[in-house]
Amino acid sequence: MTKNVVVLDYGFGNVRSAERAVARAGAEVEITRDFDKAMNADGLIVPGVGAFSACMEGLRAARGDWIVGRRLAGGRPVLGICVGMQILFERGIEHGVETEGLDEWPGTVGPLTAPTVPHMGWNTVEAPADSLLFAGLDAGERYYFVHSYAVHDWTLEVTNPKIRAPRVTWSWHGEPFVAAVENGALWATQFHPEKSGDAGARLLSNWIGTF
């Protein structure tokens, strides 16, 4: 049975690129900000480009914060991409301005410290051995990044032995940063799978295969 994926259109994201990549991965896909369609889709993608604060403003205007929260409360899959990943954290700080995120994960999005910023182009990642997102992909595979801000520390601790700890993938550009997270129904990537060629298509297929 073909899965249905909605790419949330809240004004901040490469929605057409995401649409094409998801279709290539084998799912039916629709770009919309319709509340009911976003709530009822098998999977929801939250893209994001630009400033953290502007993305949060646009997301709230489209009731995206409600959509993400309600889907996760019901165990419904959500995938955040680029700034769509960053806004899942507690807060973002850009040019000294602090903005509240969705607070699905603790942590702060801050500037990258590197010789060259933005971090733009292809880079490798270090994924956990049991990653589902990177299943079937070579360790030296490269993914496409475009960002000047990132999460530098993973602070969420899981003390209940019955709950699986999130799988956190790292990359490096001047310093280590979180490149992807798999946490129950909530997955996210700092890089752009929709711009990462065959590897990105496999990632999206892996995600779609979980629901």
Side-chain angles (χ1 to χ4, degrees), residues 32-74:
T32 183
R33 63 188 293 159
D34 180 89
F35 185 88
D36 291 331
K37 288 182 178 180
M39 282 297 302
N40 294 324
D42 294 317
L44 177 72
I45 291 180
V46 181
V49 296
F52 187 107
S53 59
C55 281
M56 279 304 304
E57 183 177 353
L59 190 72
R60 290 194 174 102
R63 300 175 70 197
D65 50 344
W66 279 74
I67 292 169
V68 170
R70 289 189 180 186
R71 282 188 64 91
L72 293 177

Side-chain angles (χ1 to χ4, degrees), residues 160-201:
N160 186 337
K162 296 182 179 180
I163 297 177
R164 176 184 288 277
R167 301 177 178 94
V168 181
T169 293
W170 295 85
S171 189
W172 178 279
H173 182 70
E175 59 185 338
F177 64 89
V178 176
V181 181
E182 302 160 60
N183 181 204
L186 183 58
W187 291 17
T189 64
Q190 177 61 71
F191 57 87
H192 289 269
E194 78 280 10
K195 294 184 178 182
S196 296
D198 291 343

Side-chain angles (χ1 to χ4, degrees), residues 1-7 22-23 25-29 38-46 71-72 74-80 132-133 184-187 202-211:
M1 184 176 178
T2 302
K3 302 299 184 180
N4 167 256
V5 173
V6 160
V7 179
V22 170
E28 294 180 356
V29 57
M39 282 297 302
N40 294 324
D42 294 317
L44 177 72
I45 291 180
V46 181
R71 282 188 64 91
L72 293 177
R76 307 294 302 279
V78 175
L79 175 67
L132 300 178
L133 180 62
L186 183 58
W187 291 17
R202 177 60 185 267
L203 286 169
L204 291 172
S205 180
N206 286 346
W207 175 63
I208 292 166
T210 64
F211 52 83

